[in-house]
Amino acid sequence: MAAAERIVFLGPPGAGKGTQADRVAGVLGVVKLATGDILREAVRAGTPLGRKVEGYMKQGVLVPDDVILEVMAQAMEKAGWRFILDGFPRTVAQAEALDRMLSERGLALDGVVFLDVPDEEIVLRLSGRRVCPKCGRAYHLRYDPPKEDNRCDVCGVELVQRPDDREDVIRKRLEVYRAQTEPVLAYYENSGRSPLRVDGVGEVETVTRRILEALGVTVG
Ligand code: AP5
């Protein structure tokens, strides 16, 4: 298996970053660090961080860079700097800061994966998404339903819809993605680390296989 210890997953909201990062992290034996999950947990727990970020998330706009950088520096340290990053970096300033943090430790990214999914499919995916409020596992009413009606397979608790999965907020998140996160793709391209473009449409397992192939990881 090729060295793949520090990977970034990029892609529009709903591209399947969280779904795939869980699966690929399991194969690589690294931790998935998802900014959205960390922030939602802070909101749920009512911490000072949660109170600071809740309004931004509800509107579908980005949380300020300085807040995210502090949170992620701590999370990456805790993970021993071996991870899949899901939802970070999301601005060029965050990508530059990540490069600085890694190079200060003599480290670098092993790969940047871009999950490509068209807008119409994204709206379908996000409007049908339901999540477990306890463990955060995402389901889809049609594509990946839970075994028991509207209950988490793992925790058994009732699934909920994320407040930012309403159609008007989904459109806003796509707009924010185009304006602030797409330039991150160009940032990596221009610094000789062209993102590995993976077709994100298809069965979940098929997409996982495509990602592992793109990373040059052989399993089994
Ligand atoms: P975040 O939680 O990161 O949201 P996102 O990037 O918009 O991504 P999602 O979690 O919506 O989608 P995903 O790509 O993980 O897809 P998933 O696997 O769930 O961020 C939320 C908010 O936090 C932001 O708006 C912002 O306010 C703030 N924030 C976070 N990071 C930040 C940062 N770095 N800087 C500033 N602010 C930040 O899949 C989606 C659905 O599709 C699911 O229902 C799933 O079951 C289904 N699905 C998955 N794969 C497939 C498939 N192959 N076929 C069919 N269905 C599928």
Side-chain angles (χ1 to χ4, degrees):
M1 182 186 286
E5 300 196 321
R6 281 169 290 279
I7 311 285
V8 166
F9 275 24
L10 293 175
K17 301 182 295 297
T19 303
Q20 294 299 334
D22 272 333
R23 297 170 63 91
V24 175
V27 174
L28 300 180
V30 299
V31 177
K32 172 186 95 164
L33 296 177
T35 40
D37 292 350
I38 296 171
L39 300 177
R40 274 185 293 280
E41 174 53 27
V43 171
R44 199 194 56 74
T47 65
L49 170 67
R51 288 197 292 278
K52 207 184 282 181
V53 302
E54 188 172 14
Y56 297 105
M57 296 179 78
K58 270 197 179 138
Q59 289 171 56
V61 299
L62 296 186
V63 168
D65 287 338
D66 58 334
V67 176
I68 294 292
L69 290 173
E70 195 183 330
V71 168
M72 290 312 286
Q74 282 174 15
M76 290 187 289
E77 181 71 42
K78 201 169 158 204
W81 299 91
R82 296 174 71 246
F83 43 63
I84 292 183
L85 298 176
D86 159 17
F88 173 80
R90 229 164 166 120
T91 62
V92 172
Q94 291 179 18
E96 289 169 344
L98 173 61
D99 279 344
R100 276 197 301 278
M101 286 188 263
L102 290 174
S103 74
E104 278 164 15
R105 288 162 180 83
L107 301 172
L109 290 176
D110 295 317
V112 178
V113 172
F114 170 64
L115 275 180
D116 199 4
V117 176
D119 284 8
E120 321 81 72
E121 171 75 10
I122 281 166
V123 176
L124 273 180
R125 283 189 186 183
L126 292 184
S127 50
R129 174 166 59 185
R130 296 294 180 271
V131 292
C132 172
K134 197 163 169 212
C135 71
R137 159 110 160 66
Y139 297 84
H140 191 279
L141 293 178
R142 191 171 352 143
Y143 303 135
D144 182 19
K147 293 192 184 87
E148 202 188 318
D149 195 28
N150 214 38
R151 295 211 166 260
C152 178
D153 292 350
V154 185
C155 311
V157 300
E158 195 162 346
L159 303 177
V160 296
Q161 185 170 35
R162 270 172 47 173
D164 58 349
D165 279 348
R166 290 199 340 252
E167 189 160 340
D168 56 328
V169 187
I170 295 171
R171 301 266 172 215
K172 178 69 196 171
R173 286 163 63 200
L174 278 168
E175 226 176 82
V176 168
Y177 169 77
R178 301 269 174 259
Q180 292 177 268
T181 307
E182 267 189 356
V184 176
L185 288 171
Y187 170 79
Y188 284 121
E189 258 154 31
N190 296 336
S191 54
R193 295 167 292 175
S194 287
L196 304 161
R197 188 173 287 265
V198 173
D199 179 3
V201 179
E203 295 288 325
V204 169
E205 261 175 46
T206 308
V207 178
T208 307
R209 206 180 52 243
R210 287 179 194 143
I211 295 171
L212 292 172
E213 273 170 20
L215 287 170
V217 174
T218 43
V219 189

